[in-house]
Amino acid sequence: MAPLVSINPADLAEKARRDILQLLEGVRGKKNLVIQKSLSGPLSLFVKFSTLQEYGVDKVFFLENDNVDTSQKNVVFLARGEKAHNIYAMAEQIKRVRRDSQTEHDFSVFWVPRRTLVSDQILEESGVLGEASILEYSLYFVPLAEDVLSLEYNDAFSDLYLRKDPSSIFLSAKALMTLQEKHGLFPRITGKGDNAKRLADLLLRMRSEVSAGDDMMSSGNSILGLTPSASIESLIIVDRKVDFPTALLTQLTYEGLIDEVFGIQSNQTEIDSSIIGAAAPQSSQASSSTAPSGPQSRMRKIQLDNSDSLYTTLRDSNFAIVGPLLNKVARRLQTTYESRHTAAKTTAELRDFVSKLPGYQNEQASLKLHTNLAEEIIKHTRSDIFSRVLEVQQNMAAGADPATQHDNIDELIARDVPLRSILRLLCLESTLSNGIKQKDLDIFKRAIVHAYGAQHLLTLSALEKMGLLTVRSGGLASINPTARGQAANTYTNYQTARKNLALIFDEVNESEPDDIAYVFSGYAPLSVRIVQCILQKQKITSLSSQRGGTPTAGTTNATTGWKPFEDTVRQIRGATFDEVQKGEEKAVKARQILSGSAHGAEKTVVVFFLGGVTRAEIAALRFVGQQMKEEGKGRKILICTTGIVNGDGVIGAAIEEKGFGGK
Amino acid sequence: LQGKRGISFEEVARAAYDEGRARLATELLDYEPRAGKQVPLLLSMKEDGIALDKAIESGDTDLIYHVLLHMRKKLPQASFFRAINSRPIASSLVEASAIDKDTELLKDLYYQDDRRLDGSNLLVSEAILASSNTQSQADKLKLASKLLADSKEYTTHRTAIDEQIKLLKYQETLERELPPNPVATSGVTSPGATTDSSIWKGLSINETCFRLIRTGNSKRASKLSSDFRIPEKTFWWLRLRALVAKRDWA
């Protein structure tokens, strides 16, 4: 235990890397690796294909392709153990390889993150349990950036809200427990939303399970039990369900738009090489080394992370100022290049310049890449349909009567705009104004089925199930403080939230933002505002009173938890809670003595998004962190999530892909 | 005993059960904090319901599945359904796991539970899967529509299904009557549309209409639009787009 060290994502990556390599070493000789597709992205974040080769991996196959060959004696499977269909797929393949092959094979299965009872049961029924050596690969958080940890559990959203399958909550709890085991208990767990509450309950429960295990000396290794952490200030859990609209809006930061237009998976995006030019072999970002077998088409993989310093400055900016920023960098590069004539007179100066040259070249390559990307995005944002969609979104977010937007939506449907965009608009309307009127909703449903096919009857049902597209009815429509009784499953009241939390911010400055609303050009994501209610109380109070909202109780600087925003937060969907975790007194004292010197050091606030977070929200949270630094509160924000989502992904969970014509 | 450390309630309870005092054992187990240890014992004590509750409480889906699989093998279907129905998480997990493996189970579940829309949706998705045979598709859709018949709530849904039956039949006629037209290849980009102009099946109503105009069958298009009551504005947009795609500026 090293409780004083604050959470370091690089350590997590290192541990994940060591663990997988150790497992691979355990399988003697060369081997073929069969991997679940959605795991290959996360894996590529911390281990290179060349490294895998050094550890004896000959070829890599995707589990979903069902094409593992018999070239090697050892076959290693790597898949998530939570999903039954993975287990069935694996059992089938083991049987197939056994049948087709002339030689004996040794099978190994690494379950991520744990071996489940169900997997054993299924493998046993298929009669292959005995032949596989089964191990666990406990991979939970994967660091996407120095302040972003993700479970990269892509199904989390549909699992939670469509199938009501709580496995992602359980995984999240486990993952957070690993943090607690290393860095001590979260002194405070604050959160909003029903699933968030469930997660917090699980954390408390797991803690008691750990100490029960301790008592009986069964695990033996952890000595003191868990005590409150000295390096972590608190954990804030936000349920995605609390704030769907933010995920549905078109993101307007640079990284957000890349995600909207091209899609980003595990810090990688694939872009047609005709847009950005063929892969430049010297540029370090083009090393898509873990890309396993399969035809490398005209798409080029691009790494988007903080190794590219230009990208680090660009990604969280509003797209409107990306052009000027690029321009500035281009100018600077040019002047440095030109300066070589004037400055580099002596050989020493020349040598100095030459040694810096590779750096310049890298910068130039990255500049070229991002200029091309930005141009391509501009093509999208300038299109008529994009601006129409954005107009409707902005009007709805600002609280215009949704009925005024129906004509626009009708027209967009008739013009055969991609279904996802349409559904995002409709769900946005529904979630912002507690449902759509029965009559209007029926008309829209009809129009959608006519325009996109009857298979989308299923899509619409699924959206309804997720609570994204609902009929407005008297019963559960509005939350007002008087009807507090059934606060369990009601809806977020955006009308009051808009006012009390200053969600709309007209005069936002995009080039030098002064508020998080810059990420959506005027709309501040509710989810991040909720976090601000805990972290930046004064700022929110001044914002809302400035804007004529009901001024919430005076300046209560020192308090933590939800004070003084209980009333406002109560108007938002789901449970609100605030738990304090205490350790045993003796242990706490011991800890205090141990950590005496480290007092006042920068503490970490962990913000956990259950059900996914958007890139725009990440940008907004980074902005909050920046502001707090300026205010002199030494706190670091660490963003954790089950996965990164965007509106298309949210809607995609519901969409029925197959049509009546087959395929 | 409660509150004392260093005692495994699981072991105590097991001992009590071995002594034949099942009730006492169950009560004792309540004090055992680790669900992973409670559940198997409860199952072996045939306390299925309690085991399921404890598994749900633990939040560990693996444990829940474990109990569910166990119960499903042991109990007759009806009482299995009854057991899970009162527990929403359990029933949603059964649904989630049955969706790609065991649709018959789901149908029974929805029927017993009177969840018409879910049941009907299941049939619709079966109809989609049976894409090679229009007749069987139509049959499935008819069943789906029938399920919703005596309920006012789902009229929109039901009309849509009925329209789809009609559309499938119409598209079949089109495939028979219209010669493949080499001009009409691209232009329709939504999923489900094929580039082969002789295949109409699977297109949505708007897409069918669009392609009819594009291939110069305006009369059929107008007929289609009035049959399915396409709003005028939509129809004009369709015509505009189709004529532009055809480069017919007349």
Side-chain angles (χ1 to χ4, degrees):
Chain A
M1 284 219 295
L4 294 182
V5 185
S6 59
I7 299 170
N8 183 3
D11 291 348
L12 286 173
E14 184 51 36
K15 181 173 179 304
R17 205 177 84 93
R18 263 202 324 265
D19 285 353
I20 183 77
L21 295 180
Q22 213 162 32
L23 284 172
L24 285 174
E25 234 172 342
V27 181
R28 295 263 164 241
K30 287 203 149 237
K31 50 225 144 203
N32 280 337
L33 184 64
V34 186
I35 185 171
Q36 189 189 342
K37 225 176 212 164
S38 62
L39 272 176
S40 73
L43 203 61
S44 72
L45 286 170
F46 51 80
V47 60
K48 287 203 170 71
F49 183 57
S50 53
T51 321
L52 290 181
Q53 277 177 321
E54 281 167 29
Y55 280 78
V57 172
D58 187 40
K59 285 185 208 156
V60 177
F61 301 90
F62 282 138
L63 180 64
E64 285 84 346
N65 291 355
D66 191 20
N67 61 351
V68 56
D69 64 17
T70 54
S71 57
Q72 295 296 335
K73 184 165 180 287
N74 290 309
V75 183
V76 176
F77 290 91
L78 185 69
R80 288 199 189 272
E82 308 286 332
K83 288 275 177 255
H85 62 86
N86 281 339
I87 308 167
Y88 283 114
M90 191 177 292
E92 283 308 309
Q93 290 189 32
I94 292 180
K95 278 197 254 178
R96 183 177 60 80
V97 170
R98 208 168 44 179
R99 202 175 49 232
D100 294 355
S101 177
Q102 269 80 46
T103 53
E104 287 269 296
H105 284 277
D106 287 335
F107 298 100
S108 314
V109 178
F110 302 156
W111 289 121
V112 181
R114 57 175 183 152
R115 175 180 189 169
T116 57
L117 295 167
V118 176
S119 70
D120 283 354
Q121 227 163 327
I122 293 176
L123 291 183
E124 195 178 356
E125 278 163 25
S126 317
V128 294
L129 181 64
E131 325 191 9
S133 65
I134 298 177
L135 292 164
E136 291 181 341
Y137 174 38
S138 48
L139 175 71
Y140 290 101
F141 280 129
V142 184
L144 291 179
E146 67 277 22
D147 56 352
V148 182
L149 298 180
S150 164
L151 291 173
E152 290 294 271
Y153 191 56
N154 297 335
D155 301 329
F157 191 84
S158 59
D159 269 2
L160 269 181
Y161 304 113
L162 181 61
R163 298 194 197 93
K164 322 281 181 207
D165 173 348
S167 38
S168 55
I169 304 180
F170 187 75
L171 281 181
S172 311
K174 278 271 192 200
L176 288 169
M177 277 307 282
T178 61
L179 289 185
Q180 293 203 85
E181 268 159 28
K182 204 148 169 245
H183 303 281
L185 293 176
F186 300 114
R188 209 180 184 104
I189 303 178
T190 319
K192 181 72 201 165
D194 294 343
N195 290 324
K197 173 92 178 104
R198 214 165 292 154
L199 175 56
D201 289 346
L202 275 184
L203 282 175
L204 297 178
R205 191 189 158 93
M206 283 180 182
R207 184 188 162 198
S208 70
E209 287 186 17
V210 167
S211 52
D214 260 358
D215 292 344
M216 279 161 267
M217 312 305 277
S218 56
S219 59
N221 49 357
S222 76
I223 337 105
L224 278 173
L226 297 168
T227 51
S229 167
S231 59
I232 302 173
E233 186 180 277
S234 65
L235 166 71
I236 303 171
I237 311 173
V238 181
D239 186 356
R240 179 78 270 168
K241 195 157 113 190
V242 165
D243 179 24
F244 278 140
T246 301
L248 293 168
L249 288 167
T250 304
Q251 308 174 59
L252 295 176
T253 59
Y254 181 56
E255 190 175 50
L257 271 168
I258 295 179
D259 196 18
E260 297 278 346
V261 178
F262 305 107
I264 303 179
Q265 278 295 322
S266 299
N267 286 352
Q268 285 188 335
T269 181
E270 287 194 354
I271 289 163
D272 200 305
S273 49
S274 65
I275 296 170
I276 45 162
Q282 82 275 12
S283 78
S284 56
Q285 318 125 17
S287 59
S288 54
S289 39
T290 34
S293 58
Q296 279 282 325
S297 58
R298 296 174 295 115
M299 304 301 267
R300 188 182 136 194
K301 274 212 171 97
I302 298 192
Q303 192 74 32
L304 294 170
D305 58 26
N306 55 342
S307 65
D308 180 347
S309 65
L310 177 61
Y311 184 65
T312 318
T313 53
L314 288 179
R315 63 178 170 192
D316 295 330
S317 309
N318 187 296
F319 187 66
I321 65 157
V322 164
L325 275 178
L326 284 171
N327 199 348
K328 214 159 78 189
V329 176
R331 266 162 210 275
R332 200 198 64 224
L333 264 181
Q334 200 182 12
T335 42
T336 19
Y337 261 132
E338 274 160 9
S339 72
R340 76 182 185 273
H341 301 299
T342 53
K345 286 277 160 57
T346 68
T347 41
E349 280 167 340
L350 199 63
R351 181 163 8 119
D352 193 38
F353 181 80
V354 170
S355 67
K356 281 183 194 152
L357 211 53
Y360 292 141
Q361 275 167 346
N362 268 345
E363 218 172 338
Q364 197 191 10
S366 118
L367 179 67
K368 194 167 154 225
L369 171 81
H370 289 292
T371 315
N372 289 335
L373 271 183
E375 268 175 11
E376 188 62 22
I377 294 172
I378 286 177
K379 266 189 225 157
H380 278 264
T381 54
R382 291 253 168 92
S383 70
D384 183 33
I385 286 181
F386 182 89
S387 45
R388 287 296 283 279
V389 169
L390 199 64
E391 184 195 326
V392 176
Q393 285 184 357
Q394 299 272 359
N395 285 340
M396 283 184 183
D401 181 7
T404 56
Q405 306 302 320
H406 287 173
D407 272 352
N408 274 328
I409 300 179
D410 275 334
E411 182 186 322
L412 289 170
I413 294 175
R415 290 172 70 175
D416 201 23
V417 171
L419 177 63
R420 281 162 202 242
S421 311
I422 300 290
L423 291 175
R424 277 171 80 164
L425 291 179
L426 288 176
C427 294
L428 186 66
E429 172 178 346
S430 168
T431 46
L432 279 174
S433 47
N434 305 335
I436 299 179
K437 275 189 204 135
Q438 178 86 56
K439 201 183 98 214
D440 295 338
L441 187 60
D442 282 348
I443 293 174
F444 279 130
K445 279 187 176 172
R446 200 178 137 80
I448 284 171
V449 169
H450 277 187
Y452 302 99
Q455 69 270 26
H456 293 301
L457 282 173
L458 301 179
T459 307
L460 293 166
S461 295
L463 287 173
E464 217 159 306
K465 219 176 239 172
M466 294 160 93
L468 284 170
L469 189 63
T470 49
V471 176
R472 189 185 307 172
S473 63
L476 25 76
S478 64
I479 306 184
N480 40 30
T482 49
R484 203 175 299 160
Q486 34 149 318
N489 219 352
T490 34
Y491 289 73
T492 299
N493 185 343
Y494 274 88
Q495 229 126 23
T496 46
R498 222 175 259 137
K499 206 171 59 186
N500 288 351
L501 294 179
L503 293 189
I504 298 301
F505 213 86
D506 293 325
E507 60 277 10
V508 68
N509 183 345
E510 282 158 359
S511 54
E512 278 167 33
D514 48 1
D515 186 79
I516 56 164
Y518 86 92
V519 298
F520 287 107
S521 295
Y523 165 80
L526 174 65
S527 51
V528 183
R529 277 281 194 253
I530 291 176
V531 175
Q532 281 184 303
C533 281
I534 299 166
L535 296 178
Q536 292 186 301
K537 294 177 190 299
Q538 265 174 333
K539 189 161 164 49
I540 299 283
T541 319
S542 71
L543 269 179
S544 60
S545 56
Q546 233 176 60
R547 303 181 46 79
T550 41
T552 24
T555 49
T556 37
N557 200 13
T559 50
T560 41
W562 290 110
K563 280 176 197 156
F565 296 102
E566 289 100 335
D567 278 337
T568 311
V569 173
R570 197 173 297 130
Q571 303 263 325
I572 297 166
R573 178 181 202 177
T576 313
F577 60 90
D578 182 18
E579 307 270 359
V580 178
Q581 293 201 94
K582 289 203 185 98
E584 272 173 80
E585 243 162 89
K586 247 191 257 165
V588 175
K589 259 185 202 147
R591 173 66 58 82
Q592 265 168 358
I593 294 165
L594 279 173
S595 62
S597 55
H599 256 304
E602 190 177 64
K603 286 193 176 188
T604 309
V605 176
V606 182
V607 180
F608 188 90
F609 277 84
L610 188 59
V613 64
T614 63
R615 284 166 210 279
E617 283 167 313
I618 292 178
L621 278 170
R622 281 186 183 139
F623 181 77
V624 171
Q626 201 60 42
Q627 270 192 333
M628 290 203 311
K629 208 161 266 170
E630 280 158 23
E631 286 164 19
K633 294 176 199 157
R635 285 189 283 197
K636 230 167 63 184
I637 293 187
L638 178 72
I639 305 161
C640 299
T641 178
T642 49
I644 291 189
V645 294
N646 62 23
D648 282 350
V650 167
I651 298 296
I655 285 186
E656 172 62 49
E657 300 282 359
K658 292 188 216 80
F660 275 88
K663 284 194 194 150
Chain B
L1 277 177
Q2 191 181 8
K4 284 230 171 122
R5 327 189 98 230
I7 291 164
S8 167
F9 283 99
E10 186 231 349
E11 284 164 26
V12 179
R14 193 173 285 281
Y17 177 63
D18 290 341
E19 293 291 316
R21 303 183 58 181
R23 245 189 86 81
L24 176 67
T26 352
E27 266 170 42
L28 278 170
L29 264 187
D30 262 349
Y31 298 114
E32 170 62 55
R34 287 158 304 168
K37 301 223 165 188
Q38 284 172 322
V39 171
L41 181 57
L42 281 168
L43 281 182
S44 67
M45 283 160 47
K46 307 209 166 40
E47 293 285 356
D48 293 349
I50 304 177
L52 187 54
D53 285 335
K54 291 287 172 201
I56 291 170
E57 233 173 77
S58 78
D60 184 343
T61 31
D62 180 40
L63 269 183
I64 307 177
Y65 272 127
H66 181 68
V67 179
L68 286 174
L69 277 174
H70 180 91
M71 289 172 74
R72 174 135 184 246
K73 276 197 201 115
K74 223 179 68 185
L75 297 175
Q77 206 176 49
S79 47
F80 174 64
F81 285 155
R82 225 172 299 127
I84 62 172
N85 266 344
S86 50
R87 303 173 175 94
I89 291 181
S91 61
S92 59
L93 282 181
V94 169
E95 277 176 60
S97 61
I99 204 84
D100 27 56
K101 277 272 155 198
D102 200 353
T103 43
E104 289 308 311
L105 176 82
L106 273 186
K107 267 188 222 164
D108 292 339
L109 174 66
Y110 292 148
Y111 183 76
Q112 185 171 339
D113 232 2
D114 205 23
R115 289 160 64 175
R116 290 158 193 280
L117 186 60
D118 288 325
S120 144
N121 280 343
L122 207 59
L123 285 162
V124 173
S125 68
E126 277 181 10
I128 291 171
L129 286 179
S131 58
S132 52
N133 184 343
T134 310
Q135 189 51 44
S136 72
Q137 274 185 319
D139 290 345
K140 296 256 182 216
L141 287 175
K142 259 177 213 150
L143 281 174
S145 161
K146 219 163 94 190
L147 261 180
L148 302 176
D150 41 314
S151 166
K152 266 202 188 120
E153 226 177 307
Y154 305 121
T155 32
T156 338
H157 213 86
R158 197 169 159 230
T159 354
I161 295 175
D162 292 342
E163 278 187 345
Q164 180 62 20
I165 301 173
K166 211 160 82 178
L167 179 68
L168 283 173
K169 296 242 165 86
Y170 182 65
Q171 285 170 339
E172 222 179 12
T173 351
L174 284 179
E175 278 175 23
R176 235 179 300 119
E177 288 173 9
L178 290 181
N181 187 338
V183 186
T185 41
S186 65
V188 185
T189 45
S190 48
T194 43
T195 43
D196 187 350
S197 65
S198 64
I199 292 176
W200 293 81
K201 198 172 131 189
L203 297 182
S204 73
I205 295 175
N206 285 11
E207 284 161 355
T208 315
C209 201
F210 177 91
R211 197 187 280 181
L212 278 174
I213 300 170
R214 219 187 137 183
T215 48
N217 296 295
S218 292
K219 262 199 196 128
R220 282 177 195 262
S222 320
K223 173 91 174 23
L224 182 77
S225 92
S226 65
D227 278 355
F228 288 95
R229 291 182 293 127
I230 296 179
E232 204 163 329
K233 208 171 128 198
T234 311
F235 187 59
W236 278 107
W237 269 110
L238 282 173
R239 279 190 65 177
L240 177 65
R241 281 180 27 234
L243 291 176
V244 169
K246 201 179 152 197
R247 315 211 167 274
D248 179 355
W249 311 112

PDB file of all heavy atoms in Angstrom, chain A residues 26 245 427 446 580:
ATOM      1  N   GLY A  26       2.882 -17.425 -19.017  1.00  0.00           N
ATOM      2  CA  GLY A  26       2.461 -18.680 -18.415  1.00  0.00           C
ATOM      3  C   GLY A  26       2.129 -19.747 -19.432  1.00  0.00           C
ATOM      4  O   GLY A  26       2.184 -20.938 -19.135  1.00  0.00           O
ATOM      5  N   PRO A 245     -29.950  14.793 -22.192  1.00  0.00           N
ATOM      6  CA  PRO A 245     -29.844  15.765 -23.284  1.00  0.00           C
ATOM      7  C   PRO A 245     -28.398  16.116 -23.652  1.00  0.00           C
ATOM      8  O   PRO A 245     -28.076  16.242 -24.827  1.00  0.00           O
ATOM      9  CB  PRO A 245     -30.584  16.985 -22.732  1.00  0.00           C
ATOM     10  CG  PRO A 245     -31.585  16.414 -21.817  1.00  0.00           C
ATOM     11  CD  PRO A 245     -30.937  15.232 -21.196  1.00  0.00           C
ATOM     12  N   CYS A 427     -35.512  12.677 -29.294  1.00  0.00           N
ATOM     13  CA  CYS A 427     -35.221  12.305 -27.907  1.00  0.00           C
ATOM     14  C   CYS A 427     -34.836  13.534 -27.107  1.00  0.00           C
ATOM     15  O   CYS A 427     -35.149  13.636 -25.926  1.00  0.00           O
ATOM     16  CB  CYS A 427     -34.099  11.285 -27.858  1.00  0.00           C
ATOM     17  SG  CYS A 427     -34.541   9.721 -28.578  1.00  0.00           S
ATOM     18  N   ARG A 446     -45.075   7.633 -37.160  1.00  0.00           N
ATOM     19  CA  ARG A 446     -45.540   7.252 -38.486  1.00  0.00           C
ATOM     20  C   ARG A 446     -44.556   7.722 -39.545  1.00  0.00           C
ATOM     21  O   ARG A 446     -44.161   6.976 -40.448  1.00  0.00           O
ATOM     22  CB  ARG A 446     -46.905   7.897 -38.701  1.00  0.00           C
ATOM     23  CG  ARG A 446     -47.720   7.276 -39.768  1.00  0.00           C
ATOM     24  CD  ARG A 446     -49.062   7.992 -39.829  1.00  0.00           C
ATOM     25  NE  ARG A 446     -49.406   8.208 -41.224  1.00  0.00           N
ATOM     26  CZ  ARG A 446     -49.924   7.255 -41.980  1.00  0.00           C
ATOM     27  NH1 ARG A 446     -50.142   6.077 -41.492  1.00  0.00           N
ATOM     28  NH2 ARG A 446     -50.192   7.513 -43.242  1.00  0.00           N
ATOM     29  N   VAL A 580     -20.448   9.615   4.073  1.00  0.00           N
ATOM     30  CA  VAL A 580     -19.095   9.829   4.567  1.00  0.00           C
ATOM     31  C   VAL A 580     -18.551   8.483   5.020  1.00  0.00           C
ATOM     32  O   VAL A 580     -19.225   7.751   5.731  1.00  0.00           O
ATOM     33  CB  VAL A 580     -19.091  10.827   5.735  1.00  0.00           C
ATOM     34  CG1 VAL A 580     -17.686  10.991   6.270  1.00  0.00           C
ATOM     35  CG2 VAL A 580     -19.648  12.161   5.270  1.00  0.00           C
TER      36      VAL A 580
END
